[in-house]
Amino acid sequence: MELHKESSHPGAFLSNASRNLSSSSSAFVSASQSPFFSPRSPPPLLIPPQITILPSQITISPSDASPCHASSSDTSLAHRRNKKTKKKNSPISLRTRSAMTVSSSTNRPRSYDVYLAYHGKKVSLLRFVNWLRVELEAQGISCFACDRARCRSSRSQSHVEKIMNFTTFGVVIITKKSFGSPYTIEELRHFFSRRNLVPIYFDLGPSDCLARDIVERRGDMWEKHGGELWVLYGGLEREWREAVEALSRAFDLQLEAGCGNWRDCILEAVSVLAKKLGRRSVVDRINRWRERIEKEEFPYPRNENFVGRKKEISELELILFGDVSGDAEREYIELKTRHRRNVAGNSTNKCESPSENGGKGKEPVVWRESEKEIEMQRSVRRKAASRNARRKRPKAKILYGKGIACVAGESGIGKTELVLEYAYRFAQRYKLVLWVGGQSRYIRQNFLNLRNLLEIDLGCDTYSHEKGNFKCFEEQEEEAIARVRKELASDIPYLVIIDDLESETDWWDRRVITDLIPQLGGETHFIITTRLPRVLGLEPMKLSYLSGIEAMAVMRGETVAKDYPLVETDALRAIEEKLGRLTLGLGIIGAILSELPITPSRLLDTINRMPLRDLPWTDKEEMLTFKRHSTLIQLLDVCLSIFDHADGPRSLATRMVHVSGWFAMSAVPVHLLALAAYKFPKKKHGSKVFKKLSSLFRRSRIKRSESEAASVLVRFGVARISTRPNCIQFHELVKIYARRRGSHRVAQAVVQSICVRASVSHSLDHLWAACFLVFGSGSEHAMVELNSTELTHFVRQVALPLAIHTFITYSRCNAALELLRLCTEALESAGEALVNSRGDKWRLKRRLRYCFRVDCSRSDEGFRLIWQEIALLKATVLETRAKLMLRAGRYDTGDDLIRKAIFIRSSICGDRHPDTVSAHETLSRLTRLLTNVQIS
């Protein structure tokens, strides 16, 4: 389902003119196109004016031509301003030049809660203002945003001044250039005189806004932007000083918006205005949201020992925002390419690189810049021999300012660490950082999991089946995805990180992941980390290895202040070379040197003496990865040996590593991991008395052992701590290593632990992982075989609740129905196997009864109970499938399923049993609806 997004092209205004102001699309144009922003929802009991955006001059109906409430000095200032505007107009593109036609049934214009004033065309300023406006409107505070310097008509200025007079509070964004704008000075004096001024300082502070410093050009800031600014626009010095001094008198409001506190400043501004408006519920809602986001926003804590990657982080900022700010402005970013670069199509502004004429056979780097994007395209030389190859392969390009970035590199090189550091550094530029695991089996579920942070309801709606108003499963899934996409496509800026994207297509139905991502170019930014050479037809940013100095810093870790002798330094360089500067391996080396009193030379000798384990490989890519980094296998073996040496053979930490490979990629609860480790099969030794004593001792220390083992794994770099309480996560290479060292019995221990401890609300991905192990996935066969009792317990405790929760909560209809179908087939196979095995046992029992007079009635009763339990559980699964079919209007399929369930329950429980009666009611409803459909 394609989302409707309002076009920003001027030609689209004619078709959108009649839209109501309460829609999510503004009646005015966006910040990058117009000086106006309109509210999302008008306040009640007020008649909003009908405003139409047209690419023509402004005309106001006579009903709106009432005079403004302004002083004589304001009138004279406006007269001088209009006179000066006629002589000199600042250049502005046709795309940003807009107009409006205002007509109203009353002389009084609409009243707004907040008038948001700003001045300038800087991209960061427009982004901040737009975000503040949308946040106010989302909280039910009507807002009118305007840059009056871009209003080209005196009549439009008159109408805006009327709105200023009827606005409850005036928010003025103060920038370096605001003091040279007559409109900002007038707005400051106007709202200060009414005692409703709320200033917000953008990229400067209240201490910087002193009239004497500005006039005398004191400081680095005012050396360029200061002076007698009232002369700049022909104003009066007294009026200008009154406006500047008004800022210094607003002591109770010191809102400052810098590069690192946009989110906090906007939320604080909304809270302040909500308090002044008497809307306490808004303040409470924002406080609750802050407390929740503080715990759930990031999947991992920030790496305090992050090393290097300055160039990569600056380049990510350039790709996403189209420019850099702050410290990155002082850093030089070198973008290299092996091919010539040119630009297809026309451009409004072109900028050539300094190396335009340098080098033989090279073309200048040409940039295409527009209002929404800055794009650099690459193309190879036009050779006749390579024309056919280019036609088959799409051109790779890097988009700057489009809001999407791809980071590619081999596993373990540090892609996740890079984007995590970027997210922490620039989190204040977004309302929320959203993390999505990119594994093909879980990516759709992980994308829909964003509903929790975005506070979106994705549940299936109740449709009127009697009238035939229902949606098929595909439509319900499309609607759920569209709700998340719609929120991400709004004017609120989010940062979505898709980590470790395995494939461009979904595992379930082979759909392209672009169906999940909204249209690019909006306020939301996307970062994709992957091992793929190309994603979405874009050339990703290739992540290279750390430099030698950075690699040494990672290996030194906390011992960076310690000076190693030359021999030990050479040993570190040898380890670095053997690991191939793989960031994961370097981090484990640094952790070992920090935790143990061991020298680098001794550690190198230990790694060399560790025999290289020959692991069985089924995946070619995994085999090639570990073949290139065989030392990593030896290093992991060293870590497990250290754990066993400290806590005895088969320590809990070692067993946790072994079972980690069969869980999903998301963070694993420590208690769930420890339970699977305790179920891990061990060598049999000792007497029964010793086993009982050791079991009691283990139970008394289980809680302390779990936390200690998890702490050891985190401290040695084998696992990383998660922001989720009592959870840790393992790197993909560690999980592959664990799977290749383990066996199917280890996978069975994981399934048993999930069946006992996991819950749908906290371990959704791990429940799916267990289902894949039990029922198989696609072309892969089931790896865990459960007996009849274990299977019924697994279906009842894991599979059935998981399918219902997936269908009802996330509208993943096809995945839920496929899981229920697999459950039905597994129960049928278990019942048939049980019946077949009973035939052989019956012959054996008959011989025992005849020869040895053995009574087998008790075993027959147990067999009958197990068979009945399987059959009744199968009936429950069939009934659940029938009820889900009812929601999509597939009445014929549901009718067949419910009849099978009724037959089973009637045969075992009877017709008067409550479950049988309930199934008959479902059948009656399906029959009635099926008849109505056939008649119509």
Side-chain angles (χ1 to χ4, degrees):
M1 180 182 296
E2 290 295 329
L3 287 177
H4 177 75
K5 184 174 181 65
E6 178 153 341
S7 174
S8 60
H9 193 273
F13 296 142
L14 293 175
S15 61
N16 300 329
S18 60
R19 291 190 179 181
N20 192 286
L21 288 175
S22 61
S23 64
S24 61
S25 299
S26 177
F28 295 97
V29 292
S30 64
S32 63
Q33 302 170 9
S34 169
F36 297 104
F37 298 100
S38 68
R40 290 176 178 267
S41 56
L45 303 180
L46 291 174
I47 303 176
Q50 299 178 357
I51 301 176
T52 304
I53 308 299
L54 298 174
S56 61
Q57 63 181 1
I58 302 175
T59 58
I60 302 180
S61 61
S63 60
D64 282 333
S66 58
C68 301
H69 299 281
S71 61
S72 59
S73 61
D74 293 338
T75 306
S76 61
L77 178 60
H79 176 72
R80 293 192 303 269
R81 182 173 60 244
N82 294 333
K83 184 177 181 181
K84 186 175 182 64
T85 303
K86 294 179 181 179
K87 295 181 179 179
K88 182 179 180 180
N89 289 330
S90 59
I92 187 170
S93 63
L94 292 177
R95 188 175 183 180
T96 60
R97 187 171 298 172
S98 61
M100 65 180 179
T101 301
V102 184
S103 60
S104 177
S105 58
T106 60
N107 291 332
R108 179 189 176 114
R110 175 184 168 182
S111 177
Y112 295 91
D113 295 327
V114 174
Y115 176 91
L116 181 57
Y118 67 99
H119 172 67
K121 295 183 289 185
K122 190 176 180 181
V123 176
S124 58
L125 173 63
L126 298 179
R127 184 179 176 89
F128 177 84
V129 173
N130 193 33
W131 182 5
L132 177 58
R133 174 190 65 87
V134 174
E135 195 65 40
L136 288 170
E137 294 167 357
Q139 300 298 336
I141 301 175
S142 59
C143 177
F144 180 88
C146 175
D147 181 1
R148 296 172 62 201
R150 299 168 69 182
C151 296
R152 299 305 182 188
S153 171
S154 60
R155 293 187 178 183
S156 64
Q157 291 285 353
S158 176
H159 179 74
V160 173
E161 290 173 358
K162 289 180 183 180
I163 294 177
M164 291 171 55
N165 293 330
F166 291 104
T167 301
T168 308
F169 288 98
V171 178
V172 182
I173 309 297
I174 308 299
T175 63
K176 301 173 184 178
K177 297 184 179 181
S178 296
F179 300 104
S181 170
Y183 304 100
T184 303
I185 300 301
E186 183 178 353
E187 288 159 350
L188 288 174
R189 297 181 63 249
H190 173 80
F191 291 116
F192 181 75
S193 63
R194 294 177 53 191
R195 301 180 183 274
N196 62 352
L197 173 64
V198 180
I200 298 179
Y201 301 90
F202 189 82
D203 287 342
L204 73 167
S207 60
D208 300 323
C209 302
L210 300 178
R212 185 174 180 179
D213 293 344
I214 298 174
V215 175
E216 297 179 0
R217 299 180 182 271
R218 293 185 178 181
D220 297 335
M221 180 182 300
W222 302 119
E223 183 178 359
K224 177 181 178 181
H225 302 282
E228 298 178 352
L229 300 181
W230 58 87
V231 180
L232 180 63
Y233 59 87
L236 300 177
E237 180 182 358
R238 179 180 58 83
E239 297 173 350
W240 183 87
R241 289 187 177 273
E242 288 178 358
V244 178
E245 292 173 357
L247 292 174
S248 61
R249 298 176 187 174
F251 296 107
D252 56 333
L253 295 175
Q254 302 291 338
L255 299 177
E256 302 180 34
C259 294
N261 71 331
W262 279 20
R263 182 198 297 179
D264 294 339
C265 179
I266 288 177
L267 293 179
E268 184 65 24
V270 175
S271 299
V272 168
L273 292 170
K275 289 180 182 178
K276 290 181 175 292
L277 293 169
R279 304 180 186 180
R280 187 66 189 178
S281 60
V282 175
V283 181
D284 296 338
R285 184 162 59 248
I286 292 177
N287 292 335
R288 290 194 301 268
W289 186 86
R290 279 177 168 174
E291 294 175 358
R292 180 185 178 189
I293 296 306
E294 186 177 355
K295 301 176 182 178
E296 302 179 7
E297 181 176 16
F298 292 95
Y300 321 110
R302 188 171 187 176
N303 183 6
E304 301 298 335
N305 299 322
F306 184 80
V307 175
R309 305 298 191 190
K310 292 183 179 180
K311 174 186 174 183
E312 288 82 357
I313 292 178
S314 299
E315 189 170 353
L316 275 178
E317 182 185 3
L318 174 62
I319 294 174
L320 294 175
F321 290 97
D323 60 353
V324 293
S325 60
D327 296 336
E329 288 182 333
R330 297 187 292 269
E331 297 178 0
Y332 174 71
I333 304 174
E334 183 182 3
L335 302 177
K336 297 183 179 180
T337 177
R338 297 180 180 179
H339 307 295
R340 299 177 350 182
R341 309 170 190 174
N342 58 8
V343 175
N346 298 328
S347 60
T348 55
N349 296 320
K350 294 183 179 180
C351 176
E352 298 182 355
S353 68
S355 60
E356 178 179 355
N357 299 322
K360 182 178 180 180
K362 294 183 179 180
E363 283 189 358
V365 180
V366 184
W367 297 77
R368 182 172 68 184
E369 185 174 352
S370 61
E371 291 294 328
K372 284 193 173 181
E373 67 179 24
I374 304 174
E375 180 177 344
M376 182 184 71
Q377 295 183 341
R378 301 180 179 181
S379 64
V380 298
R381 297 179 179 179
R382 297 183 177 179
K383 293 183 178 180
S386 60
R387 288 180 180 177
N388 296 331
R390 290 203 310 271
R391 291 175 183 175
K392 297 180 181 179
R393 183 177 58 188
K395 291 183 179 180
K397 57 183 178 179
I398 298 179
L399 299 180
Y400 291 83
K402 196 66 173 178
I404 183 170
C406 302
V407 181
E410 65 174 300
S411 183
I413 201 172
K415 302 184 296 295
T416 301
E417 290 291 340
L418 171 65
V419 297
L420 182 66
E421 180 65 20
Y422 175 88
Y424 271 103
R425 289 190 186 185
F426 297 94
Q428 286 290 325
R429 295 195 188 182
Y430 305 94
K431 182 177 180 179
L432 201 57
V433 177
L434 305 171
W435 203 278
V436 179
Q439 294 73 34
S440 58
R441 292 181 181 178
Y442 307 100
I443 183 172
R444 181 174 298 186
Q445 181 64 58
N446 294 335
F447 181 78
L448 294 177
N449 283 343
L450 300 180
R451 62 175 285 275
N452 300 322
L453 293 175
L454 298 176
E455 299 179 349
I456 301 174
D457 183 16
L458 300 180
C460 297
D461 298 330
T462 302
Y463 306 110
S464 178
H465 299 280
E466 303 293 341
K467 299 180 180 180
N469 297 330
F470 56 85
K471 297 182 180 180
C472 65
F473 294 138
E474 289 74 15
E475 291 177 343
Q476 294 182 41
E477 292 187 5
E478 288 286 350
E479 185 177 354
I481 295 175
R483 291 178 186 176
V484 181
R485 291 183 60 191
K486 182 179 179 181
E487 180 64 25
L488 297 180
S490 64
D491 291 335
I492 298 179
Y494 295 102
L495 175 61
V496 181
I497 297 175
I498 303 178
D499 189 27
D500 193 18
L501 181 66
E502 288 183 347
S503 174
E504 293 192 43
T505 56
D506 187 16
W507 180 84
W508 290 93
D509 52 10
R510 313 308 299 173
R511 293 175 54 180
V512 186
I513 62 169
T514 52
D515 295 339
L516 304 178
I517 300 176
Q519 185 178 358
L520 302 178
E523 300 297 330
T524 298
H525 291 171
F526 292 86
I527 300 179
I528 301 175
T529 67
T530 182
R531 287 166 291 165
L532 301 174
R534 188 174 301 175
V535 177
L536 304 179
L538 302 176
E539 181 183 358
M541 184 182 74
K542 301 293 175 44
L543 192 64
S544 60
Y545 298 100
L546 295 174
S547 64
I549 298 177
E550 294 169 345
M552 292 290 290
V554 172
M555 287 190 294
R556 288 173 179 266
E558 298 178 1
T559 62
V560 67
K562 183 177 180 180
D563 294 332
Y564 282 119
L566 183 59
V567 177
E568 303 298 335
T569 303
D570 293 339
L572 284 177
R573 290 174 180 169
I575 295 175
E576 168 197 336
E577 183 179 355
K578 291 178 68 67
L579 289 173
R581 292 186 185 175
L582 198 65
T583 307
L584 174 64
L586 298 177
I588 295 177
I589 293 294
I592 293 176
L593 294 177
S594 301
E595 293 291 330
L596 301 179
I598 186 174
T599 60
S601 59
R602 185 180 176 187
L603 178 58
L604 175 61
D605 182 64
T606 304
I607 295 175
N608 291 332
R609 287 189 291 106
M610 181 65 63
L612 183 60
R613 189 181 299 272
D614 186 15
L615 301 177
W617 301 106
T618 57
D619 187 270
K620 184 177 180 181
E621 183 179 354
E622 295 177 358
M623 179 188 69
L624 294 177
T625 300
F626 277 94
K627 193 173 182 180
R628 291 194 303 266
H629 304 286
S630 57
T631 307
L632 181 62
I633 299 178
Q634 295 175 298
L635 180 59
L636 292 175
D637 287 340
V638 169
C639 291
L640 298 188
S641 300
I642 293 173
F643 302 155
D644 293 340
H645 180 75
D647 299 332
R650 308 300 287 255
S651 66
L652 180 59
T654 300
R655 284 181 284 161
M656 281 184 172
V657 175
H658 282 293
V659 301
S660 66
W662 304 101
F663 286 93
M665 281 300 299
S666 57
V668 187
V670 174
H671 65 87
L672 190 62
L673 192 67
L675 181 61
Y678 284 125
K679 292 181 177 294
F680 182 76
K682 298 185 295 183
K683 296 180 180 179
K684 297 182 180 180
H685 60 277
S687 62
K688 295 183 179 180
V689 177
F690 176 78
K691 290 182 179 180
K692 291 182 179 179
L693 293 176
S694 62
S695 176
L696 293 175
F697 178 72
R698 183 190 66 189
R699 291 177 183 177
S700 64
R701 292 193 51 194
I702 183 170
K703 292 185 178 180
R704 187 164 62 93
S705 298
E706 291 177 3
S707 59
E708 288 177 353
S711 177
V712 167
L713 294 176
V714 172
R715 295 202 314 267
F716 277 82
V718 178
R720 67 185 310 164
I721 192 170
S722 172
T723 53
R724 292 176 55 187
N726 300 322
C727 292
I728 59 176
Q729 187 165 4
F730 294 86
H731 193 276
E732 181 188 9
L733 292 179
V734 178
K735 295 172 70 68
I736 295 174
Y737 165 82
R739 287 199 299 269
R740 297 298 167 246
R741 281 201 58 176
S743 62
H744 293 177
R745 293 186 300 170
V746 182
Q748 188 169 10
V750 172
V751 172
Q752 292 174 353
S753 65
I754 290 176
C755 192
V756 174
R757 289 279 184 91
S759 62
V760 175
S761 57
H762 297 91
S763 307
L764 194 63
D765 288 353
H766 303 303
L767 294 178
W768 276 110
C771 291
F772 288 137
L773 292 174
V774 174
F775 301 120
S777 56
S779 60
E780 299 179 4
H781 299 287
M783 300 191 64
V784 176
E785 295 184 3
L786 303 177
N787 58 37
S788 301
T789 304
E790 293 173 340
L791 179 62
T792 54
H793 186 66
F794 180 83
V795 172
R796 183 179 290 108
Q797 298 296 327
V798 176
L800 189 58
L802 176 62
I804 296 175
H805 180 76
T806 302
F807 190 100
I808 301 299
T809 308
Y810 297 98
S811 297
R812 292 191 62 199
C813 309
N814 292 323
L817 290 173
E818 177 64 16
L819 178 58
L820 292 176
R821 185 188 66 81
L822 294 175
C823 290
T824 305
E825 294 180 354
L827 292 173
E828 289 177 353
S829 300
E832 293 176 359
L834 193 64
V835 172
N836 295 333
S837 63
R838 193 199 177 203
D840 298 334
K841 291 181 179 179
W842 181 82
R843 297 185 185 91
L844 177 61
K845 292 175 183 177
R846 185 178 179 181
R847 180 175 297 181
L848 291 174
R849 189 182 298 111
Y850 177 79
C851 298
F852 302 99
R853 307 297 179 181
V854 176
D855 185 12
C856 301
S857 58
R858 292 186 179 181
S859 61
D860 292 340
E861 180 66 19
F863 171 84
R864 186 179 64 83
L865 293 176
I866 294 175
W867 183 86
Q868 287 183 359
E869 184 179 6
I870 294 176
L872 291 176
L873 182 58
K874 176 185 173 183
T876 302
V877 174
L878 291 172
E879 184 182 13
T880 303
R881 293 173 61 186
K883 290 181 179 179
L884 297 185
M885 293 295 177
L886 181 65
R887 288 178 171 266
R890 298 174 60 176
Y891 306 133
D892 52 349
T893 306
D895 184 86
D896 295 338
L897 293 172
I898 197 63
R899 289 182 186 276
K900 294 178 181 178
I902 291 175
F903 176 77
I904 296 174
R905 288 179 176 173
S906 299
S907 303
I908 298 177
C909 304
D911 294 334
R912 296 185 179 181
H913 192 273
D915 293 341
T916 308
V917 174
S918 175
H920 274 292
E921 294 176 355
T922 304
L923 175 62
S924 300
R925 186 179 182 186
L926 283 167
T927 304
R928 183 177 64 256
L929 294 174
L930 182 60
T931 304
N932 294 338
V933 171
Q934 292 175 351
I935 294 175
S936 59

